[in-house]
Amino acid sequence: MQTNPTYSSLVAVGDSFTEGMSDLMPDGTYRGWADLLATRMAARTPGFRYANLAVRGKLIRQIVDEQVDVAAAMGADVITLVGGLNDTLRPKCDMGLVRGLLEEAVEKLAPACRQLVLMRSPGRQGPVLERFRPRMEELFACVDELAARHGAIVVDLYGAPSLSDPRMWDVDRLHLTAEGHRRVAEAVWQTLGYDPEDAEWHTPMPATLPPGWVMRRVADARFARQHLLPWIGRRLTGRSSGDGLPPKRPELLPYEDLA
């Protein structure tokens, strides 16, 4: 990998992880690792352009149908693609279909940019995700194989101890906190070949005493009421949190136009 390369544009493709949930800004919008990465890249390159096509809740089929061709046509230097994890969390998931769609996306995006970036998404510690972990790891094995075949680079967030810490995750237990997004931006930054700004991003946070039994049960009840039950309701009715929402930043525009 070239040291401190010069890239003039970035397009981010994906779901809520790339949209930036739950890195909430004062105006109610989400920032996230892709915006943070674009900020750093723009500081090095005058005229830097950035687009973020990600929409929360999208499955890999929707990402392929709605975002991939658009991203490929933009002719960006760097494209990031993270998708498929929402599929693995569904009760019924055809992993063969997921792998095929991810392969289709990579085959279109790799030749359309200087550098395609794939990721092994972070995985939170906890009993709920354990039942889905074999699917996640099957997805990540596919990511590794496709990257090797198409010259993409892989950011291994799944193997980072710091990002499995529950303290890096928001109360919905599905999305990273602002600190988690900052560490992801650093990981992508370094994988692209830039000098580290935080060489210890993967190092776990200092240990603290875990909350007591009562506090854990209160948190579990709040999580179930505010996040788990609505999520189940959307699954049962075929709805998505991203229904009707436009891409975060649909055009490849100069970074200084980023609101």
Side-chain angles (χ1 to χ4, degrees):
M1 179 60 59
Q2 178 185 354
T3 301
N4 287 322
T6 300
Y7 293 118
S8 65
S9 51
L10 167 68
V11 175
V13 174
D15 51 33
S16 59
F17 173 68
T18 302
E19 184 184 345
M21 296 174 71
S22 293
D23 186 5
L24 190 64
M25 302 296 287
D27 63 358
T29 62
Y30 293 108
R31 183 177 54 180
W33 65 265
D35 285 8
L36 293 169
L37 178 66
T39 300
R40 293 189 185 188
M41 297 174 75
R44 288 181 172 268
T45 308
F48 182 82
R49 297 176 299 151
Y50 171 51
N52 190 325
L53 306 180
V55 178
R56 67 196 71 171
K58 293 300 182 182
L59 302 174
I60 188 62
R61 165 62 74 187
Q62 294 169 307
I63 291 173
V64 170
D65 289 347
E66 300 168 13
Q67 300 179 32
V68 166
D69 287 341
V70 176
M74 288 181 170
D77 282 351
V78 177
I79 298 177
T80 65
L81 168 64
V82 187
L85 202 61
N86 283 334
D87 297 79
T88 69
L89 299 179
R90 296 294 179 100
K92 295 182 180 180
C93 174
D94 183 343
M95 286 303 299
L97 178 63
V98 171
R99 292 194 305 270
L101 288 167
L102 188 60
E103 181 175 14
E104 179 182 343
V106 170
E107 288 178 346
K108 289 182 177 180
L109 293 175
C113 62
R114 282 177 55 194
Q115 185 61 69
L116 177 63
V117 179
L118 307 177
M119 297 188 200
R120 293 162 55 92
S121 305
R124 182 186 186 276
Q125 293 176 354
V128 175
L129 283 182
E130 286 306 314
R131 60 175 296 192
F132 301 108
R133 201 168 296 279
R135 291 180 183 172
M136 295 167 59
E137 293 181 351
E138 182 178 349
L139 176 68
F140 300 153
C142 179
V143 166
D144 290 342
E145 189 276 327
L146 289 171
R149 189 164 10 126
H150 294 278
I153 57 176
V154 178
V155 184
D156 185 13
L157 306 173
Y158 186 69
S162 62
L163 294 176
S164 65
D165 189 325
R167 292 172 294 176
M168 286 288 178
W169 297 77
D170 194 35
V171 293
D172 66 2
R173 305 182 183 181
L174 285 175
H175 300 106
L176 291 170
T177 62
E179 174 61 15
H181 279 284
R182 184 196 68 79
R183 294 189 184 218
V184 171
E186 178 68 32
V188 182
W189 173 260
Q190 291 183 28
T191 306
L192 281 169
Y194 294 103
D195 290 337
E197 295 188 9
D198 175 11
E200 303 299 323
W201 70 267
H202 56 283
T203 301
M205 296 171 64
T208 58
L209 289 175
W213 185 89
V214 173
M215 291 185 63
R216 294 200 304 271
R217 298 295 78 77
V218 170
D220 288 344
R222 184 183 302 115
F223 161 71
R225 182 177 65 254
Q226 297 180 355
H227 301 287
L228 181 59
L229 292 177
W231 183 83
I232 292 173
R234 290 194 296 272
R235 299 292 78 76
L236 293 175
T237 56
R239 294 178 292 117
S240 167
S241 58
D243 287 348
L245 294 180
K248 181 176 184 179
R249 184 174 165 85
E251 298 181 70
L252 189 60
L253 297 174
Y255 180 81
E256 55 265 28
D257 294 339
L258 181 62

